[in-house]
Amino acid sequence: MNTVTIRANMAESESLETITEHERILQEIESTDTACVGPTLRSVYDDQPNAHKRFMEKLDARIRNHDREIEKMCNFHHQGFVDAITELLKVRADAEKLMGQVSDTNRRLQDAGREVTAQTEEVIRCRIQQRNMATTVEKLQLCIPGETPHLRKNLTIYYSALKTMEQLQNIYIPRVSQYRFCQIMAETLPKLREEIKEISMSDLKDFLESIRKHSDKIGETAMRQREREREIERENLKSTYFKGTWVRKCFFNFVSFLFKVLTVQDLVDFSPVYRCLHIYTVLGDRETFENYYRKQRKKQARLVLQPQSNMLNLDLFVKLFVFFVVEDHILHATQGLVTRAFTDELWNMALSKIIAVLRTHSSYCNDPDLVLELKNLIVIFADTLQGYGFPVNRLFDLLFEVRDQYNETLLKKWALVFRDIFEQDNYSPIPVENEEEYKAVISRFPFHDAEIEKQQFPKKLPMSQSVPQIYSQVKEFIYASLKFSESLHRSSTEIDDMLRKSTNLLLTRTLSSCLQNLIKKPHIGLTELVQIIINTTHLEHACKYLEDFITNITNVSPETVHTTRLYGLSTFKDARHAAEGEIYTKLNQKIDEFIQLADYEWGMAESDGRASGYLIDLINFLRSTFQVFTHLPGKVAQTACMSACKHLATSLMQMLLDTELKQISMGAIQQFNLDVIQCELFASSEPVPGFQGDTLQLAFIDLRQLLDLFMVWDWSTYLADYGQPTSKYLRVNPSTALALLEKMKDTSKKNIIFSQFRKNDRDKQKLIETVVKQLRSLVNGMSQHS
């Protein structure tokens, strides 16, 4: 190996060593504390010359390498850094808010701390007071007996507190009077007494207010107990199972025991009154308490008597009941707090007021149920207070006025009932198809007829459906009237008398008025009137059963001297007579309607030989009508038939004598005669049985004699026998004959009737004139004689 090679190898070896040394130095610099860097750097300069240059180069390369690493690292973490900055910016607002909340919390904690500090100081002060009070109590116990610590407690136990104060003032305080607190206690005792008076008076006011507020419940409880007793009593009176007096009495007493009325002490706590009275008495101020109590109770009485509404109800009675029951108890339980004169004054004031209210209220009440409810309230109220010794005669006297009002409301109610029954009636006999229907009818109405009972079904009962309905409603009215008589403490005779009188009013006033109005209604025809007469006849016969019905209720014998009889007989007789009169009127009206259809040709030459059509229709109508009358009593049918015939005869006579009719021919007289003959035939055919001989025909005797006189032209006989009892034409009045003859007289040239007389028979014309003169003479003589 040559020198160059060796040197080259040596140089290379030296270079590697240098590089290794530089790496070591760099590592030391990087890893060694800065205080030791100096010696390390100095070794660089201690080495070979120019070694520091190479070290610097190495250092620069190392720095560049680290820069590259740092740059890589920064590039790698750049996005995270940006995100972190962004998050920090977001957190900044929340951090500011949190800072504000922390500041506010700190402020509030400071404020709360001050309050706690103040309260702590107050607690310390209170504990010091408690300790001082405990020490005081301990010291007082050494001076005063053990009862004294209960003084304040005894303030609520009024009497005990007063006794304690009396003992303190008279016994214990003088023993320890040398202490200043004893003097303070002695000065405080009068104030404590006044405090006790105020507390007891407050309790009394609470008691009075409680009585006012709870009077409804208290009074209603007691009064309803009394009402249950009255219901048991009513059931006892009505019971048909307990016939023996002793059994009924035992049963009533047993049930009354079960429903015994609570005493007022059970319902009201009177201890506040007793305590307050005793305290004021002990303190020597009883008169003040008495005056206050009486003044307050009088004021409450006036308030009770002022209802909050115009409606009278249980509330007023309950409040009055509680008020006076309380006063009665106070009267008997205390000595002189209230007097009998005081309670009587309040009672008379209340009684006058409530009677006025009751009288006014009942006068405006139109509902019988409401009136009955009012009566029951009065009875319960009166019975209950009578048991406490209050006079209630004026209330029972008022009940008689209320009873009259109740009866009036019942009569008005039943007037509507009767009116509905009459409006719904078909006024036809009741048809019964079988035995069951027949029994259903007679179970509601006492009907007995042997002939009808023998008939086979189906059959008809003579009355219409309104009869059993009216009879049932009269019984319902009696029951309703009886309800008012219950619990009035009246004898059976008095109740019987009240029932009969009210029933008489129903029959004679209400039912009679309904019947009279019914009879006068335009739609009631002859058939309906006939049925009404039949109905009233059966109702009249049923009156005795109504009397028996009342007797069974009251157990008062009808033979009793003072028993009032029912006036149903006269009531139904009057209604029947009115119906009969209406039959006569309507029958005559119907006859007038037929006669208005008459159309005579008064100038006809001769008759056509047969009766007029209108008269034939009229006769047929009368025949069918009188067949319906067969169900009427005989005299009614006969009277109706006679009245119809007389009215027909009178109407026919008026037709002939009508002043509007100026001329009548002989042919018209003949036609008229045919019509009268039909009337006479009808009368002789006995349309209604019971007439004797030609009694019915006599209704047409005036017409018959007048027509015969003109038909026969028998003037000589008439004039010769005039005024004689045996005259053939006794029923012909000269003025009637003259009026008719004047209509036949020839008074002008236009007279058609006697045109032939002027030519052929002037003598007859002269005869007529002569007869006319003689008739006028008779008429004038009659007028002068009269």
Side-chain angles (χ1 to χ4, degrees):
M1 181 177 305
N2 55 27
T3 304
V4 177
T5 305
I6 294 171
R7 288 181 177 177
N9 291 334
M10 290 177 62
E12 184 178 356
S13 174
E14 184 178 345
S15 179
L16 292 173
E17 292 176 357
T18 300
I19 292 171
T20 303
E21 181 65 18
H22 287 172
E23 288 292 333
R24 182 186 64 76
I25 293 172
L26 288 175
Q27 292 178 355
E28 288 182 357
I29 291 173
E30 290 177 351
S31 60
T32 303
D33 189 8
T34 56
C36 299
V37 173
T40 303
L41 291 177
R42 198 165 33 250
S43 64
V44 175
Y45 291 95
D46 290 340
D47 289 339
Q48 297 176 5
N50 299 324
H52 68 281
K53 294 183 179 179
R54 290 192 295 274
F55 176 76
M56 291 299 294
E57 293 174 357
K58 191 68 174 179
L59 180 61
D60 290 337
R62 193 65 171 261
I63 290 171
R64 286 192 298 272
N65 186 44
H66 281 297
D67 289 338
R68 284 194 296 272
E69 293 294 332
I70 290 171
E71 185 177 358
K72 289 181 182 179
M73 182 65 68
C74 288
N75 290 335
F76 179 78
H77 292 286
H78 180 266
Q79 186 60 40
F81 174 76
V82 171
D83 293 340
I85 294 299
T86 303
E87 289 295 328
L88 283 174
L89 292 175
K90 291 181 181 180
V91 169
R92 182 171 62 182
D94 293 336
E96 293 175 354
K97 182 177 180 182
L98 180 61
M99 180 62 71
Q101 291 177 351
V102 170
S103 300
D104 183 62
T105 302
N106 178 66
R107 180 181 53 78
R108 285 190 285 106
L109 285 173
Q110 294 296 329
D111 294 340
R114 282 192 295 271
E115 293 179 3
V116 171
T117 301
Q119 291 177 1
T120 302
E121 294 175 354
E122 181 67 20
V123 169
I124 293 172
R125 186 178 62 82
C126 290
R127 287 180 178 176
I128 293 173
Q129 289 179 350
Q130 287 179 348
R131 185 183 62 189
N132 293 339
M133 291 171 62
T135 303
T136 303
V137 170
E138 183 180 356
K139 297 303 180 182
L140 286 174
Q141 286 176 347
L142 299 175
C143 301
I144 301 176
E147 300 96 314
T148 305
H150 301 287
L151 178 60
R152 281 290 170 182
K153 181 179 180 182
N154 287 341
L155 286 176
T156 59
I157 310 173
Y158 310 117
Y159 179 71
S160 299
L162 289 174
K163 295 295 292 183
T164 300
M165 285 189 291
E166 184 179 356
Q167 291 175 359
L168 283 173
Q169 188 172 11
N170 298 328
I171 301 175
Y172 300 112
I173 289 181
R175 296 179 183 177
V176 289
S177 58
Q178 67 274 19
Y179 295 102
R180 186 169 59 87
F181 72 85
C182 292
Q183 297 176 0
I184 297 174
M185 290 182 64
E187 294 174 357
T188 307
L189 288 179
K191 297 180 181 178
L192 293 177
R193 288 192 180 94
E194 289 299 323
E195 185 177 349
I196 290 175
K197 287 175 62 176
E198 292 176 0
I199 294 174
S200 64
M201 182 58 72
S202 176
D203 286 350
L204 176 66
K205 292 178 180 178
D206 293 341
F207 165 77
L208 295 176
E209 182 66 17
S210 176
I211 289 293
R212 186 184 67 83
K213 287 184 177 180
H214 300 94
S215 59
D216 296 350
K217 183 177 181 180
I218 297 170
E220 187 174 352
T221 301
M223 292 183 71
R224 292 204 182 281
Q225 290 281 9
R226 174 57 184 157
E227 174 62 14
R228 283 198 287 267
E229 280 192 347
R230 291 178 64 252
E231 290 177 359
I232 298 302
E233 183 179 355
R234 285 197 295 266
E235 292 300 324
N236 176 59
L237 291 175
K238 292 180 180 179
S239 176
T240 58
Y241 299 102
F242 301 104
K243 298 299 183 181
T245 304
W246 182 82
V247 176
R248 291 200 302 271
K249 184 176 181 180
C250 291
F251 173 76
F252 174 68
N253 290 338
F254 171 72
V255 180
S256 297
F257 174 78
L258 294 179
F259 294 103
K260 183 180 180 181
V261 177
L262 297 174
T263 63
V264 70
Q265 294 93 329
D266 298 325
L267 302 174
V268 181
D269 179 17
F270 289 95
S271 57
V273 182
Y274 302 148
R275 287 196 298 266
C276 197
L277 175 62
H278 185 76
I279 288 170
Y280 272 77
T281 302
V282 170
L283 297 177
D285 204 7
R286 179 188 176 101
E287 184 177 357
T288 301
F289 174 73
E290 290 178 356
N291 293 333
Y292 175 81
Y293 179 83
R294 295 178 186 179
K295 180 180 178 181
Q296 292 300 317
R297 291 300 281 166
K298 188 175 292 186
K299 184 186 296 183
Q300 284 190 341
R302 292 192 179 97
L303 291 175
V304 169
L305 292 169
Q306 294 177 356
Q308 298 301 317
S309 65
N310 294 327
M311 295 302 293
L312 190 68
N313 51 32
L314 181 63
D315 182 63
L316 177 60
F317 290 98
V318 166
K319 289 180 178 179
L320 278 174
F321 163 74
V322 173
F323 182 89
F324 285 104
V325 168
V326 168
E327 288 307 297
D328 179 77
H329 180 77
I330 294 294
L331 174 65
H332 292 90
T334 61
Q335 296 179 353
L337 178 57
V338 294
T339 63
R340 173 57 69 182
F342 175 75
T343 57
D344 289 345
E345 178 187 356
L346 290 180
W347 173 245
N348 290 329
M349 177 188 72
L351 199 58
S352 299
K353 178 67 176 179
I354 195 172
I355 286 176
V357 173
L358 289 170
R359 185 177 285 118
T360 302
H361 182 76
S362 62
S363 64
Y364 287 102
C365 191
N366 296 320
D367 187 348
D369 293 334
L370 293 180
V371 179
L372 188 62
E373 182 179 350
L374 176 62
K375 167 257 175 183
N376 290 333
L377 290 176
I378 296 173
V379 170
I380 297 172
F381 179 70
D383 283 351
T384 308
L385 286 181
Q386 188 178 37
Y388 287 92
F390 291 94
V392 294
N393 292 334
R394 292 173 61 188
L395 284 175
F396 281 105
D397 293 338
L398 174 67
L399 283 175
F400 285 98
E401 299 179 26
V402 179
R403 182 196 64 189
D404 295 337
Q405 178 64 22
Y406 178 70
N407 285 335
E408 288 298 323
T409 58
L410 285 182
L411 293 176
K412 291 179 182 178
K413 178 180 178 180
W414 258 262
L416 298 176
V417 173
F418 290 151
R419 189 182 306 166
D420 291 340
I421 291 175
F422 289 140
E423 289 180 355
Q424 296 173 8
D425 194 6
N426 58 7
Y427 297 98
S428 301
I430 300 176
V432 287
E433 299 294 332
N434 49 49
E435 184 71 21
E436 183 178 355
E437 292 184 4
Y438 179 76
K439 289 182 178 179
V441 175
I442 64 175
S443 65
R444 296 186 302 157
F445 182 76
F447 174 77
H448 303 285
D449 190 305
E451 294 184 0
I452 294 181
E453 289 178 358
K454 293 178 182 179
Q455 295 177 5
Q456 298 294 324
F457 292 102
K459 53 188 175 183
K460 292 184 178 181
L461 305 183
M463 64 279 188
S464 66
Q465 62 185 3
S466 64
V467 173
Q469 292 175 350
I470 292 293
Y471 182 80
S472 298
Q473 285 300 321
V474 173
K475 292 171 66 175
E476 290 297 325
F477 175 88
I478 294 173
Y479 277 130
S481 182
L482 177 64
K483 289 181 180 179
F484 196 92
S485 301
E486 295 173 350
S487 304
L488 291 185
H489 311 297
R490 298 295 173 180
S491 64
S492 298
T493 303
E494 290 176 305
I495 294 176
D496 182 88
D497 185 64
M498 285 189 286
L499 287 181
R500 292 177 185 273
K501 286 182 178 179
S502 59
T503 306
N504 276 332
L505 283 176
L506 178 72
L507 297 177
T508 59
R509 199 172 80 183
T510 304
L511 182 56
S512 176
S513 176
C514 290
L515 284 170
Q516 296 291 344
N517 293 334
L518 174 68
I519 291 168
K520 297 296 182 180
K521 287 189 175 181
H523 70 277
I524 298 297
L526 291 172
T527 304
E528 288 80 6
L529 288 171
V530 171
Q531 189 62 55
I532 289 174
I533 292 176
I534 296 172
N535 290 349
T536 54
T537 302
H538 287 283
L539 288 172
E540 179 183 338
H541 294 160
C543 282
K544 63 179 182 179
Y545 296 99
L546 290 176
E547 290 190 340
D548 295 340
F549 178 72
I550 296 176
T551 299
N552 291 333
I553 292 177
T554 61
N555 292 323
V556 176
S557 174
E559 285 76 21
T560 304
V561 177
H562 300 290
T563 300
T564 304
R565 309 298 298 180
L566 293 185
Y567 299 148
L569 299 178
S570 60
T571 297
F572 296 121
K573 283 182 179 178
D574 293 342
R576 187 160 57 251
H577 291 160
E580 292 170 3
E582 195 67 19
I583 284 179
Y584 307 150
T585 301
K586 289 187 179 294
L587 195 57
N588 292 342
Q589 290 175 351
K590 198 68 178 179
I591 292 174
D592 292 340
E593 292 176 5
F594 278 100
I595 289 180
Q596 289 176 0
L597 299 176
D599 187 19
Y600 286 101
E601 185 181 348
W602 296 109
M604 65 172 56
E606 60 179 297
S607 170
D608 58 3
R610 56 184 178 180
S612 301
Y614 86 92
L615 192 68
I616 297 298
D617 294 339
L618 173 57
I619 296 299
N620 291 334
F621 164 75
L622 292 177
R623 289 186 187 279
S624 61
T625 300
F626 290 141
Q627 287 178 357
V628 178
F629 285 9
T630 55
H631 299 291
L632 290 173
K635 292 184 178 180
V636 177
Q638 293 170 12
T639 304
C641 187
M642 177 59 75
S643 174
C645 290
K646 286 183 177 181
H647 184 74
L648 176 57
T650 302
S651 300
L652 292 174
M653 181 69 77
Q654 290 175 351
M655 191 185 301
L656 280 178
L657 303 179
D658 188 3
T659 56
E660 298 294 327
L661 180 60
K662 302 299 183 180
Q663 294 180 349
I664 298 179
S665 65
M666 184 57 69
I669 294 293
Q670 294 171 353
Q671 180 64 42
F672 204 81
N673 182 61
L674 290 175
D675 293 344
V676 174
I677 290 174
Q678 289 296 321
C679 294
E680 292 172 329
L681 292 174
F682 169 74
S684 62
S685 65
E686 197 176 10
V688 172
F691 287 107
Q692 295 181 354
D694 55 354
T695 303
L696 193 58
Q697 292 175 280
L698 292 177
F700 301 96
I701 189 63
D702 291 0
L703 270 176
R704 171 47 50 212
Q705 291 186 7
L706 179 63
L707 292 174
D708 285 350
L709 176 61
F710 278 81
M711 292 290 294
V712 179
W713 207 252
D714 195 7
W715 294 105
S716 58
T717 303
Y718 174 77
L719 295 172
D721 295 342
Y722 179 75
Q724 301 296 324
T726 58
S727 173
K728 180 179 179 182
Y729 304 102
L730 180 63
R731 308 286 298 185
V732 179
N733 190 293
S735 59
T736 303
L738 177 62
L740 185 58
L741 191 59
E742 287 284 355
K743 297 177 185 294
M744 302 179 67
K745 179 182 175 184
D746 184 15
T747 56
S748 66
K749 294 181 180 181
K750 295 182 180 180
N751 193 324
I752 303 175
I753 299 176
F754 294 104
S755 60
Q756 296 181 354
F757 289 167
R758 290 194 295 271
K759 297 178 182 180
N760 303 321
D761 201 352
R762 296 183 183 275
D763 293 338
K764 191 172 184 178
Q765 179 67 20
K766 292 179 179 180
L767 176 61
I768 293 175
E769 293 176 356
T770 302
V771 171
V772 168
K773 291 179 180 180
Q774 292 178 346
L775 290 175
R776 286 176 179 171
S777 176
L778 291 175
V779 171
N780 292 333
M782 292 174 58
S783 61
Q784 291 176 1
H785 180 72
S786 61

